[in-house]
Amino acid sequence: MSARRHLERLREMRVAGEHADGRPVWEVDGRDWPHREASRFVHAAGLRWHVQQCGAGPAILLVHGTGASTHSWAGLMPLLARHFTVVAVDLPGHGFTCRPPLARMALPAMGEALAGLLAALTVRPEVVVGHSAGAAILARMCLDRHLAPRLLFSLNGALVPFRGAAGHLFSPLARLVARSELLPRLFAWHAGFDRRVIERLVRDTGSSIGVQELEFYRRLARRPGHVGAALAMMAQWDLPGLARDLPRLRTPLVLVVGSQDRTIPPADAERVRSLLPRAEIVVLPGLGHLAHEERPDLVAALIEERMAVDRP
């Protein structure tokens, strides 16, 4: 490591010390954040949220998945802003939003907190778009009547339990890890000094994204607070409960599936449709778990098309 880079690293660590929970620092990690000019911080539901808003028209809410943040929508936001008021948030504990206690990282609690934020923003989205775990949160919110959108788009959504041994081991293991302070710090340290860590993680999702997009994931991953929140969120998932309730979902559901997704098996979309026969499945050939980052133009066109059909 060069002397200059070493000094920069020491400075970042000193600034990071301002946050006792080890979360990312806006003045350092967010210095050139995508659409920074659209960012603001809002106090609601007992948390300080990082929110981005742009565009004009009917409101559309974007909710990222585990371990991501608003940067995940960098390519999609300006495309949707041509026709919508786009609102994107960092979920609790993720990115630049404060982390609540572990019990409030469960799906219903996160849904309640997000509903509180929308109330503070006076936003009633006509369309909601969730990626991976974000889709599960939005589905839970619709079921719990915190939201009443015209359409729910699930981008490689985690809506049904994992199959096989992973399904039995995942939750107990995640809960054990989520209570550890050491493991998030070890992972963050490793990600901070070895760029290949994040490259491998993204490659294992079946997606290919650019160098700058990888850098934003790396910045988040080197902060133990962000890593710990991602683990806590996974530990509190109740996908069996969500799957039991899905047949009650009244919001029209569009399941957007990357054919090369290695994180959420594409076949899971059919499992969801077996519970909710009205659900529509749209396959994006050749794209992985981060399909909306690989081809935001395809996702934007799909949303615009479905909304044009749905509007009175």
Side-chain angles (χ1 to χ4, degrees):
M1 180 182 296
S2 68
R4 179 180 178 182
R5 177 60 189 140
H6 182 66
L7 290 173
E8 290 176 351
R9 180 63 176 160
L10 287 176
R11 176 180 176 276
E12 292 172 4
M13 290 174 68
R14 284 198 299 271
V15 176
E18 296 175 1
H19 293 318
D21 57 3
R23 56 191 165 88
V25 181
W26 182 243
E27 294 77 10
V28 177
D29 303 295
R31 59 189 180 273
D32 56 351
W33 209 246
H35 310 302
R36 183 184 168 101
E37 70 284 355
S39 290
R40 56 178 167 144
F41 290 87
V42 178
H43 289 273
L47 298 173
R48 182 174 184 262
W49 300 76
H50 173 230
V51 180
Q52 292 191 327
Q53 184 171 330
C54 60
I60 182 168
L61 174 65
L62 306 179
V63 180
H64 64 78
T66 308
S69 76
T70 55
H71 83 278
S72 182
W73 308 111
L76 186 61
M77 284 185 67
L79 299 177
L80 293 176
R82 298 174 300 187
H83 306 289
F84 299 96
T85 297
V86 183
V87 178
V89 304
D90 285 349
L91 286 172
H94 288 66
F96 304 98
T97 294
C98 292
R99 176 178 172 177
L102 182 62
R104 292 183 60 196
M105 297 293 283
L107 285 178
M110 292 188 80
E112 289 177 7
L114 187 50
L117 172 64
L118 293 176
L121 296 174
T122 64
V123 169
R124 298 183 65 182
E126 290 194 21
V127 190
V128 292
V129 181
H131 171 241
S132 195
I137 293 172
L138 291 173
R140 185 74 264 169
M141 291 179 71
C142 291
L143 287 165
D144 294 342
R145 298 185 179 181
H146 294 309
L147 287 174
R150 291 184 179 179
L151 286 172
L152 164 57
F153 288 87
S154 165
L155 308 181
N156 293 313
L159 300 175
V160 290
F162 296 103
R163 279 182 161 170
H168 295 289
L169 295 174
F170 181 80
S171 290
L173 180 61
R175 291 191 181 99
L176 179 64
V177 172
R179 288 176 170 81
S180 169
E181 295 184 5
L182 178 60
L183 289 178
R185 292 193 175 277
L186 286 175
F187 180 87
W189 176 85
H190 194 194
F193 287 97
D194 186 352
R195 294 179 178 274
R196 294 171 297 178
V197 171
I198 299 304
E199 292 175 3
R200 286 194 295 267
L201 285 174
V202 171
R203 184 172 63 247
D204 288 345
T205 69
S207 288
S208 176
I209 60 177
V211 174
Q212 186 60 67
E213 288 75 18
L214 287 170
E215 168 62 16
F216 293 129
Y217 276 109
R218 189 184 75 84
R219 287 186 200 173
L220 296 176
R222 70 183 182 180
R223 299 299 189 185
H226 176 85
V227 176
L231 293 172
M233 181 175 169
M234 290 189 289
Q236 295 299 308
W237 277 359
D238 180 17
L239 291 182
L242 178 62
R244 284 194 299 270
D245 291 343
L246 270 181
R248 295 194 291 105
L249 184 66
R250 294 292 174 260
T251 306
L253 175 63
V254 181
L255 300 164
V256 184
V257 181
S259 68
Q260 302 302 313
D261 189 350
R262 298 178 192 165
T263 302
I264 305 296
D268 278 6
E270 291 293 349
R271 294 174 62 197
V272 173
R273 190 156 63 177
S274 70
L275 300 170
L276 199 64
R278 300 181 304 278
E280 175 188 4
I281 297 177
V282 179
V283 178
L284 301 180
L287 301 181
H289 192 60
L290 304 177
H292 62 291
E293 297 190 40
E294 295 178 279
R295 291 295 306 272
D297 57 319
L298 293 182
V299 176
L302 175 64
I303 294 172
E304 291 170 356
E305 176 188 342
R306 293 303 186 275
M307 274 303 290
V309 170
D310 183 69
R311 284 176 186 167

